[in-house]
């Protein structure tokens, strides 16, 4: 078969921007069988497999694409699932342009192969057509506790369950998924897909206990000493949202992105029958330039905003969000205010009537233009205010999407667990081992806010280490 | 699912419930809170723990029907279950080393003040209880407070029971009379706690207040429960809910608490209407 030498990727079929900006259904509708096979033909099947080196979980990419070329989609799925626990999720939310696709030979002259789009197609095909549940492995008699049902915890639990461990995941919220459930919006990652992947783990024998806050309801020590778990993996994710420390951040209508997205995604505040309130703001400013900022801005549009701004202090070149997410947001009508930084949030004040219900509602955000200075030793150009360029935009809600700091709960209640100055759990990178024997950690709880796939990679690394640790302990 | 094992109406709008939640009961301490959801599509709401029975594995909550969620919760009867119940969250009330404490409770806040007073009493601390209500009809837990307070002052706004007036009145009198409290612990409406602090601050009597802001996850993730304490942003769910009353920005907290008032009123009337229809 001759390779498809088209320089461009097959475009992703998507809902038109003017339609999708007003609904919560998935933006990208996915490759069809024909498009997928055509795209697969663009893969040259390089022997040295540069793409695999870019994948945090080392999926055998050329092998699965080869199966797609042949039309053996289930075969392709089997190749992927040998390395990845959550392919339908990764195919959607991985930043492939910085990983596998970055190393694709086709990307040197033209666009790389659409590896992520193919992964998604294969996973969706499997989920639609293959109903045989995965085989439950024989038990090896060891119990392992996983704290947090987010990407790190799910990946770790999946790998351990496949090896025969009796895994229990403890989740603080009422629904598993972590950031996949509370953070990433429905229109980017449908919750039915998260549920499906979680149910696959249940079929493998993984128990999920919701409404358990480890550090409060039970402690790590109790898991190991009293409850019979031989090892513990901590994947508690990101914690407290950061604020800027500017005046007005406590006004009514100022949200952290975590709160705004949790209300919309986890609590389904966008649905009519949800009891959870969310402000239906008409004009919204989102502060920050990451994927979370894009998610918040696009959610605001879907909740009925007429005008949504992204306020980011650096330029387009430094924006940390995926290019695709920025493009999607702009297509939908989000306006980017680059090299701009907020200095104050303004609120309504009626000095004549202290009981006026409008008191304290956000009315605007005052910003200043920024310029980038010379690069520092790390090569990052730090932004500086341009005096005299202050201006105000009228908004009725402000969403702060400027990052999080690690959750303090486990650190506070686990004696001997070493954390760094930023509050992240200290681990040996190659193994995920913490300062406590039998206790492993990974994901945002270690690194601070990062990506789903990096968290999954860390979960898998820890699963392998836990397996090695317990086998060794059994021998001695 | 978490079973309702006991239910008692304390007055027209305040209900006491005992919920089967052994893991929470095992660890609960006075001053901590739980988060519950009544059913699917339900809102997550925080309620401070009003008591616990470690042996029976139950946790007591006392709530006032003020909105859609508490209305739906109040519809649940013994033997029925609620969807979610998680805790114990937050930091327990600090009681170590206290010898003489004035515990001030207002309205349904008395439900939370009670376990604190009981714990202090058990420790051998001298407890002066001051509890206030709008009227006699709304009085709750009088006997329980009598049992754990060395001295109890009951106040009503309209004078229909106890003394007429606000809780700060007897507090001020006691301070003026030379009562040497190690600490005052105030739990009740924001405005009450604000005025308790205004009473104790000039005398430098350390004052603990229990904050109950809008909250979703309760585990230090969403930041909705933030308040300003000593000029810094704090999160009631992990840094509190108890704070140094002298340092809390009450005016800001009061303003933030009204964020969803319109939505809540609407949801409450919807819930009531739905219930009326079911009854018909």
């Amino acid at each position: 078969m001759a390779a498809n030498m088209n320089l461009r990727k097959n475009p992703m079929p998507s809902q038109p921007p003017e339609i999708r900006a007003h609904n919560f259904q998935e933006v990208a509708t996915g490759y069809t069988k024909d498009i997928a096979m055509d795209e697969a033909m663009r893969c040259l099947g390089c022997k040295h497999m540069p793409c695999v080196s870019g994948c945090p979980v080392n999926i055998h990419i050329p092998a699965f694409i080869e199966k797609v070329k042949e039309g053996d989609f289930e075969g392709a799925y089997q190749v992927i699932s040998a390395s990845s626990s959550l392919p339908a999720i990764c195919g959607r939310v991985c930043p492939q342009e910085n990983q596998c696709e970055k190393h694709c030979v086709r990307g040197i002259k033209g666009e790389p192969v659409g590896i992520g789009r193919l992964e998604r197609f294969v996973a969706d095909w499997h989920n639609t057509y293959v109903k045989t549940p995965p085989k439950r492995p024989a038990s090896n008699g060891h119990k392992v506790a996983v704290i947090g049902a987010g990407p790190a915890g799910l990946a770790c639990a999946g790998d351990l369950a496949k090896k025969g461990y009796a895994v229990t995941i403890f989740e603080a919220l009422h629904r598993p998924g972590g950031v996949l459930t509370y953070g990433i919006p429905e229109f980017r990652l449908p919750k039915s897909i998260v549920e499906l992947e979680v149910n696959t783990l249940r079929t493998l024998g993984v128990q999920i206990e919701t409404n358990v806050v480890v550090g409060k309801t039970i402690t790590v020590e109790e898991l190991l000493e009293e409850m019979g778990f031989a090892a513990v993996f901590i994947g508690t994710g990101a914690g407290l949202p950061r604020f800027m420390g500017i005046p007005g951040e406590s006004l009514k209508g100022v949200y952290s992105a975590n709160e705004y997205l949790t209300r919309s995604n986890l609590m389904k505040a966008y649905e009519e029958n949800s009891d959870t309130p969310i402000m239906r703001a008409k004009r919204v400013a989102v502060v920050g330039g990451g994927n979370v900022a894009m998610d918040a801005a696009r959610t605001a549009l879907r909740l009925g905003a007429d005008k949504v701004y992204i306020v980011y202090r650096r330029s387009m070149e430094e924006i940390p969000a995926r290019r695709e997410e920025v493009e999607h947001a702009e297509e939908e009508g989000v306006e980017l205010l680059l090299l701009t930084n907020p200095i104050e949030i303004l609120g309504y004040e009626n000095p004549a009537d202290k009981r006026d219900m409008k008191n304290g509602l956000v009315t605007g955000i005052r910003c200043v233009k920024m310029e980038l200075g010379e690069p520092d030793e790390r090569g990052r150009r730090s932004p500086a205010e341009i005096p005299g360029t202050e201006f105000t935009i009228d908004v009725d809600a402000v969403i702060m999407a400027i990052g999080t700091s690690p959750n303090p709960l486990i650190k506070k209640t686990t004696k001997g667990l070493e954390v760094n100055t930023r509050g992240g759990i200290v681990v040996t990178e190659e193994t995920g081992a913490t300062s406590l024997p039998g206790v492993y950690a990974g994901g945002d709880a270690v690194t601070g806010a990062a990506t789903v796939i990096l968290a999954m990679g860390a979960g898998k690394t820890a699963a392998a280490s836990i397996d090695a640790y317990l086998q060794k302990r059994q021998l001695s | 699912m978490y079973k309702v094992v006991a239910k008692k109406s304390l007055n027209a709008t305040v209900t006491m419930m005992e919920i089967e939640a052994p893991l929470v009961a095992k660890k609960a301490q006075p001053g901590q809170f739980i988060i519950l959801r009544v059913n699917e599509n339900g809102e997550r709401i925080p309620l401070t723990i009003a008591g616990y029975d470690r042996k029976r594995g139950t946790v007591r909550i006392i709530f006032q029907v003020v909105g859609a969620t508490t209305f739906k919760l109040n519809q649940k009867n013994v033997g029925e279950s609620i969807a979610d119940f998680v805790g114990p969250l937050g930091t327990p009330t600090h009681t170590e080393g206290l010898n003489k404490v004035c515990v001030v409770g207002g309205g349904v806040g008395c439900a939370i003040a009670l376990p604190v007073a009981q714990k202090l009493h058990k420790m051998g601390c001298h407890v002066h209880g001051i509890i206030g209500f709008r009227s006699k009809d709304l009085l709750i837990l009088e006997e329980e407070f009598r049992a754990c307070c060395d001295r109890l002052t009951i106040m009503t706004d309209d004078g229909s029971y106890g003394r007429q007036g606000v809780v700060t009145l007897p507090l001020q009198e006691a301070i003026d009379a030379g009562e040497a409290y190690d600490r005052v612990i105030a739990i009740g409406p924001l405005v009450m706690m604000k005025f308790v602090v205004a009473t104790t601050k000039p005398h430098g009597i350390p004052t603990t207040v229990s904050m109950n802001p809008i909250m979703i996850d309760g585990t230090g993730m969403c930041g909705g429960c933030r308040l300003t304490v000593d000029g810094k942003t704090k999160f009631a769910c992990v840094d509190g809910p108890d704070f140094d009353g002298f340092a809390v920005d009450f005016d800001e907290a009061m303003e933030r608490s009204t964020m969803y008032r319109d939505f809540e009123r609407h949801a409450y009337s919807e819930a009531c209407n739905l219930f009326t229809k079911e009854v018909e």
Side-chain angles (χ1 to χ4, degrees), chain A residues 297-311:
Chain A
R298 297 169 72 196
T299 298
L301 277 180
R302 285 156 174 81
L303 286 168
D306 298 324
K307 186 72 208 172
V308 178
Y309 300 94
I310 292 261
V311 180

Side-chain angles (χ1 to χ4, degrees), chain B residues 246-265:
Chain B
F246 294 176
V248 170
D249 184 339
F250 283 104
D251 292 336
E252 180 190 282
M254 283 191 261
E255 206 163 84
R256 279 185 67 78
S257 72
T258 65
M259 185 148 167
Y260 295 108
R261 193 161 283 174
D262 287 348
F263 180 97
E264 281 158 5
R265 280 189 183 144

Side-chain angles (χ1 to χ4, degrees), chain A residues 285-303:
Chain A
V286 179
V287 181
N291 288 325
V292 175
M294 301 302 144
D295 284 348
R298 297 169 72 196
T299 298
L301 277 180
R302 285 156 174 81
L303 286 168

Side-chain angles (χ1 to χ4, degrees), chain B residues 198-213:
Chain B
T199 309
T200 56
K201 203 171 179 176
H203 304 278
I205 306 167
T207 303
T208 302
V209 294
S210 174
M211 305 299 281
N212 190 10

Side-chain angles (χ1 to χ4, degrees), chain A residues 47-248:
Chain A
K47 288 278 172 290
H48 66 304
M49 305 187 294
C51 48
V52 178
S53 67
C55 176
V57 298
N58 297 310
I59 293 173
H60 199 318
I61 294 162
F64 101 74
I65 294 182
E66 191 58 37
K67 296 281 184 195
V68 176
K69 286 183 195 170
E70 294 163 10
D72 177 7
F73 305 132
E74 178 58 13
Y77 179 82
Q78 293 306 329
V79 173
I80 296 174
S81 71
S83 313
S84 168
S85 319
L86 315 160
I89 294 171
C90 296
R92 285 172 166 81
V93 302
C94 264
Q96 291 99 5
E97 65 278 10
N98 298 324
Q99 299 175 352
C100 50
E101 293 181 20
K102 188 180 170 186
H103 301 274
C104 177
V105 168
R106 295 296 306 264
I108 298 166
K109 200 177 145 195
E111 288 183 341
V113 175
I115 300 170
R117 294 169 184 181
L118 288 173
E119 180 185 25
R120 170 184 162 155
F121 166 79
V122 167
D124 287 355
W125 190 92
H126 170 87
N127 288 337
T128 311
Y129 296 107
V130 182
K131 299 293 174 199
T132 41
K135 255 211 211 109
R136 197 170 168 156
S139 166
N140 67 13
H142 295 287
K143 280 170 69 180
V144 177
V146 169
I147 307 170
L154 294 174
C156 183
D159 277 15
L160 287 168
K162 283 177 195 162
K163 292 194 164 90
Y165 289 93
V167 182
T168 305
I169 308 183
F170 296 97
E171 166 58 44
L173 293 175
H174 55 268
R175 192 158 292 143
V179 72
L180 308 171
T181 297
Y182 76 73
I184 303 177
E186 179 76 17
F187 57 83
R188 209 149 72 75
L189 177 65
K191 300 311 143 209
S192 56
I193 287 174
V194 180
E195 269 164 45
L196 211 97
E197 301 279 16
V198 168
N199 283 336
T200 306
L201 292 186
R202 285 202 172 101
T203 321
L204 287 170
V206 174
Q207 301 276 331
I208 302 178
E209 301 278 349
T210 54
N211 295 329
V212 178
V213 183
V214 175
K216 288 286 173 190
T217 316
I218 48 181
T219 61
V220 172
E221 198 181 343
E222 285 169 324
L223 290 170
L224 290 167
E225 306 292 326
E226 295 171 26
M227 296 171 73
F229 290 99
V232 173
F233 173 75
I234 304 173
T236 44
L240 292 165
R242 289 214 180 93
F243 289 90
M244 292 184 71
I246 57 172

